[in-house]
Amino acid sequence: MQARRFYFLFSLAIIAIIALPVGIANLILGFIYHDSPCIQCWGERQSMVYVALGGLFVLRYGLKPKYIAMLVLVVAGGLYQSFYHSGNHALEDVGQGFALTIFGLHTQFWAEFVFWMTLLVLGVLLLKAPSFETQALRKLTRSNLWAFGIFSFLVASNMIQAFISTGPFPYLGHGDPIRFSWRMAENIWSTSNWGHMGFPRSLGKRIVDKPILAESPHKWEDDYHKAPLEIHKSLHLLQTQISSLKLNAPISDLNFLAAKDTPKPPKPLNLAYSKSSVPIFLANTAMDAPLP
């Protein structure tokens, strides 16, 4: 492949990764439909920006091993982010999630798709790539300048959205963000997620707690004063009733509903015959005759 064609296709790849997933999420979902990304969505969006930035280094300084290595490392980090994000939503049903979707699919799927496609396109381009550059700077073509311009515009637009919805340092993104608003008073700047940052931290939230079984030595809290909600009213106890249900688990409404919904045995049929009644015939018998 000629060098000019290679860098033209490389420019198109950079424009695709910065304009489609990042641009749609920022301009359409964010500014038009007022969707605000969560902290993991921000991380995946930043990784896509870093991939495009690595491509701009290739356009400006030529194809060099350190830039290819940088692209591979950033894509590896983005794949980890998308795996981690998808794992948080793996047990949800189709259509669940607080964020808006693109073609019915949430951000974590598109991050997975974009990073795998980045590896695929990068591999195809490198198969036909010219030799590594030795010169210090390349002369940028019109397609290269378009890639720089679109990248700069969308990065600045995302910075505006991030400042309005998330805030400057040390404020951090939200796990469950509110709707995006151009009114600063309607946005929340928070530092609460700093407590969840850092790796490794004894695996932290990655440790799955053991389930509480019926025979587990678990003490159930029955003091409503220790509830997570503030309760300002109290109810007076009118009567108590001892349940006769045999339970091997904490009492729940399902147990009582199951006991109440037990079907009653059917009443026996009255087969008495009178002259004024319609004759009843026995089925599956040798003789089909009215009862005496």
Side-chain angles (χ1 to χ4, degrees):
M1 182 185 299
Q2 297 179 355
R4 185 179 181 86
R5 179 178 297 179
F6 170 81
Y7 288 108
F8 171 75
L9 295 176
F10 215 86
S11 300
L12 293 183
I14 294 172
I15 294 174
I17 193 174
I18 195 68
L20 294 180
V22 178
I24 291 175
N26 170 236
L27 300 177
I28 299 179
L29 298 187
F31 292 156
I32 297 179
Y33 293 102
H34 304 288
D35 184 51
S36 188
C38 69
I39 186 172
Q40 290 179 314
C41 296
W42 272 124
E44 292 159 351
R45 194 181 300 185
Q46 288 174 354
S47 295
M48 296 177 192
V49 171
Y50 299 150
V51 170
L53 180 61
L56 294 182
F57 273 91
V58 174
L59 295 183
R60 189 67 182 95
Y61 299 103
L63 188 63
K64 296 181 180 180
K66 59 182 178 181
Y67 300 142
I68 303 301
M70 181 174 63
L71 287 173
V72 173
L73 290 176
V74 173
V75 171
L79 285 173
Y80 168 77
Q81 290 173 319
S82 59
F83 277 134
Y84 184 73
H85 197 180
S86 300
N88 291 341
H89 301 274
L91 297 180
E92 292 180 350
D93 201 351
V94 176
Q96 288 185 337
F98 55 81
L100 297 181
T101 61
I102 302 176
F103 299 116
L105 299 171
H106 287 283
T107 306
Q108 59 270 15
F109 171 83
W110 285 115
E112 192 80 16
F113 176 80
V114 167
F115 291 123
W116 279 116
M117 286 300 297
T118 301
L119 283 181
L120 179 63
V121 172
L122 182 62
V124 172
L125 289 177
L126 290 179
L127 282 177
K128 299 293 184 178
S131 59
F132 288 115
E133 294 282 351
T134 56
Q135 57 185 354
L137 295 176
R138 283 190 63 255
K139 183 179 179 180
L140 298 177
T141 62
R142 183 177 300 179
S143 61
N144 301 157
L145 293 174
W146 269 104
F148 273 89
I150 294 174
F151 174 87
S152 301
F153 169 77
L154 288 177
V155 168
S157 179
N158 274 273
M159 291 173 65
I160 294 174
Q161 183 185 9
F163 180 83
I164 294 175
S165 63
T166 303
F169 183 85
Y171 297 109
L172 204 61
H174 304 273
D176 190 0
I178 61 174
R179 303 294 291 167
F180 175 80
S181 174
W182 289 104
R183 298 181 58 187
M184 299 298 295
E186 297 179 358
N187 295 283
I188 298 176
W189 293 358
S190 173
T191 59
S192 59
N193 273 323
W194 277 113
H196 306 305
M197 300 295 288
F199 180 82
R201 41 188 294 269
S202 299
L203 297 181
K205 287 188 174 182
R206 297 166 181 81
I207 298 178
V208 180
D209 295 331
K210 294 182 179 180
I212 301 175
L213 304 178
E215 62 272 11
S216 301
H218 182 80
K219 183 179 182 303
W220 299 95
E221 183 59 63
D222 54 4
D223 186 1
Y224 70 90
H225 292 96
K226 299 179 181 180
L229 302 177
E230 294 185 4
I231 301 176
H232 302 286
K233 296 181 180 180
S234 59
L235 299 177
H236 299 286
L237 184 63
L238 298 179
Q239 64 178 356
T240 60
Q241 182 179 0
I242 300 176
S243 175
S244 60
L245 297 176
K246 295 182 179 179
L247 304 174
N248 62 347
I251 298 176
S252 67
D253 292 341
L254 294 177
N255 300 120
F256 289 98
L257 291 175
K260 292 180 180 179
D261 294 341
T262 302
K264 298 180 181 179
K267 295 181 180 180
L269 295 175
N270 184 11
L271 301 179
Y273 172 75
S274 62
K275 294 181 179 180
S276 62
S277 62
V278 180
I280 301 177
F281 294 89
L282 294 177
N284 299 327
T285 57
M287 296 177 60
D288 290 338
L291 295 176

